[in-house]
Amino acid sequence: MQEGFYAIRRPPIMLNITPHTDDSGKMKHHSATEVGDVLKDKGDVVTLENTGTLYEARNLMMRYSISRLIIFQDNRKYPVGIITEKDIVRVLYRGTHGRRLDEITVNEVMSKNLVTGDKNESVIACAKKMIDRKVSSILIVEATVGNKSAIVGIITKTDIVRRYPSLSRKKYKVSDFMASNVYTVVPSALLHEAMLFMVNGNISRVVVIEKRKPVGIITMHDLLPIGTLVNPFFNRFEKDDFTLASPPAVAVPLPSGVRAKLFASDIMKTDLSIITKDRDLNEAATVMVERRISGLPVVEQNNADAANNEEILIGLITKTDITRALISDNPISI
C-alpha cells in the first residue's frame, strides 16, 4: 500500500428498519432516506495524510476515478480537510511558482472548512447543505473520545442523484432545471481556454461544439493526466491576459511555439451522452448514474437544418441541478 494513503474500513451500521406507519397503522411513504441507508451500500473512503503531495493526490484520483480525497492527520484518525480535482486544476492554472507537484503538500491547497453531517440525517437534508454551502460532498462523522469527529463515510451529489427517482414527488422535465448559459469551446481551441473557463467560471466542464452541435466534452477530471505537461505554459500568464467569454470574444495573445501545445480536440471525450429538454428529469438522473458522468448537454433540433437532422446545444443539466430539483420538491429547514 502506498505510504501515506489508506482506505477507511467502516464498521457495520445498525439501521432502524421499523416500517413507517401513520395512526391507522398503514405504511407511510418514507421520502427522506437516512444517510445510514446510503452508507451501507458504499465502499471505502479514499484518504491521504496531510503531509501527502499534490502528485500523490492526483494519482489517487486518477487510479480510483474519483474527484475528491479526505485529508487526515494525527496518525490517520481525524479529518482535517478535503481536496478535489478542482483544487488541483486551480493550482495548475494559476501556477506552482517553479515547484513540482511532488513538492506541494495537500495541506497547502485543501479546504479546511469541512461540511459535516451524521448518519441519522436525511438525504434531502444533506442535499440542502450541499446547495447552501456550495459543496459537492458531506462528511458523515460521529463523536469519539475527547469529542473529536471521526469520519464514518461521505455523501456526494452522485448519491443524491442515484436516489432522486425514488425521492422525487413531482414530475419535472429537463428544461425546468437546466442551465441555458453553457461555456463552450471549439475543437481547435487551445486547452488553456477550457481551463480558463473552469477555473474563473467555477465550473467543472465545458462542451466542445462545431456549428452549435456538441461533439465532445472536457471535465476537470480530464485535465488531471495532462496537468504536469501544460503547467509550465500556464505559469507564463496572468488570468487578466484573457477574456472570459464563451467562445472567446477576442483573440488570445500567444507567444511563439505555444500553438504546438494541446488543443481541445486532443483531450475531449467524444462518446457524448446528450438529452433533450422535454425528457423527464428522472431519466437524466438515471443516465448520469449509469454512465458515471456529472452533466448532460441538452440539445434540440435545428429547425434551420431539419433535413440534416442536426441537433444544436441549448443547455446543460448537471448533478447540481438535480440536487436543486430534489430540494425544490421536498422543502425543509435545517
Side-chain angles (χ1 to χ4, degrees):
M1 184 173 290
Q2 181 175 337
E3 183 178 357
F5 157 71
Y6 75 111
I8 295 175
R9 299 282 177 181
R10 292 192 309 275
I13 298 173
M14 300 303 294
L15 301 175
N16 178 9
I17 57 174
T18 303
H20 293 260
T21 58
D22 58 21
D23 294 337
S24 66
K26 294 181 179 179
M27 187 80 69
K28 290 171 63 178
H29 175 60
H30 183 41
S31 63
T33 299
E34 291 183 351
V35 165
D37 298 324
V38 178
L39 291 182
K40 70 177 182 178
D41 297 325
K42 294 183 60 126
D44 298 331
V45 179
V46 183
T47 71
L48 187 66
E49 290 281 1
N50 65 330
T51 55
T53 67
L54 288 193
Y55 181 72
E56 292 175 291
R58 164 188 174 270
N59 289 348
L60 287 172
M61 290 180 190
M62 290 169 56
R63 181 191 308 172
Y64 293 99
S65 191
I66 55 178
S67 59
R68 62 187 54 79
L69 298 172
I70 310 304
I71 309 302
F72 276 65
Q73 71 174 23
D74 292 343
N75 197 27
R76 303 175 179 174
K77 290 183 179 179
Y78 307 113
V80 293
I82 188 168
I83 188 167
T84 67
E85 57 194 13
K86 186 177 290 187
D87 297 323
I88 295 177
V89 171
R90 283 196 189 104
V91 171
L92 293 172
Y93 173 71
R94 292 172 179 168
T96 61
H97 305 291
R99 293 191 294 169
R100 301 189 309 268
L101 291 186
D102 60 359
E103 297 174 325
I104 304 173
T105 65
V106 293
N107 191 56
E108 300 175 58
V109 179
M110 70 183 187
S111 171
K112 300 177 183 178
N113 185 22
L114 300 177
V115 181
T116 62
D118 66 70
K119 62 187 180 184
N120 296 318
E121 286 190 61
S122 71
V123 170
I124 296 170
C126 281
K128 189 174 190 314
K129 280 185 183 179
M130 290 180 192
I131 296 301
D132 290 347
R133 301 290 294 274
K134 297 181 179 179
V135 296
S136 295
S137 59
I138 305 290
L139 298 189
I140 307 305
V141 299
E142 57 185 17
T144 62
V145 177
N147 203 32
K148 289 190 175 182
S149 296
I151 185 172
V152 296
I154 187 170
I155 298 294
T156 68
K157 283 179 181 173
T158 298
D159 300 314
I160 303 296
V161 173
R162 181 176 285 114
R163 284 154 183 82
Y164 176 79
S166 62
L167 294 177
S168 61
R169 296 181 296 181
K170 285 185 179 180
K171 284 274 189 182
Y172 289 119
K173 292 183 178 180
V174 168
S175 58
D176 293 327
F177 285 91
M178 74 178 194
S180 299
N181 183 24
V182 184
Y183 286 105
T184 64
V185 294
V186 296
S188 60
L190 285 166
L191 190 57
H192 81 268
E193 293 179 20
M195 210 168 183
L196 164 71
F197 294 153
M198 291 191 216
V199 172
N200 290 359
N202 195 30
I203 57 174
S204 298
R205 64 197 57 78
V206 295
V207 181
V208 185
I209 60 170
E210 282 186 323
K211 297 180 179 178
R212 301 177 63 192
K213 178 182 178 180
V215 295
I217 195 164
I218 300 173
T219 68
M220 285 281 187
H221 199 75
D222 299 324
L223 296 174
L224 292 181
I226 52 84
T228 52
L229 173 63
V230 300
N231 185 50
F233 162 57
F234 285 105
N235 283 343
R236 299 175 61 179
F237 292 91
E238 297 292 335
K239 62 183 180 180
D240 293 338
D241 289 340
F242 306 107
T243 299
L244 185 59
S246 180
V250 296
V252 179
L254 300 172
S256 61
V258 169
R259 292 189 182 278
K261 295 291 182 180
L262 293 175
F263 296 91
S265 58
D266 295 325
I267 193 174
M268 70 182 188
K269 288 190 177 77
T270 56
D271 54 338
L272 199 59
S273 298
I274 58 176
I275 198 166
T276 56
K277 65 179 182 180
D278 59 333
R279 305 301 294 183
D280 194 299
L281 198 57
N282 286 344
E283 182 180 340
T286 300
V287 171
M288 289 183 199
V289 171
E290 289 181 349
R291 303 188 183 180
R292 301 184 68 179
I293 55 179
S294 296
L296 287 168
V298 183
V299 299
E300 71 175 3
Q301 181 71 41
N302 184 0
N303 294 328
D305 195 16
N308 293 327
N309 197 31
E310 287 290 325
E311 293 175 324
I312 60 174
L313 181 72
I314 61 168
L316 185 71
I317 188 78
T318 68
K319 287 180 180 177
T320 299
D321 300 319
I322 293 177
T323 303
R324 288 196 184 99
L326 184 60
I327 296 171
S328 175
D329 197 10
N330 297 271
I332 60 172
S333 57
I334 58 174

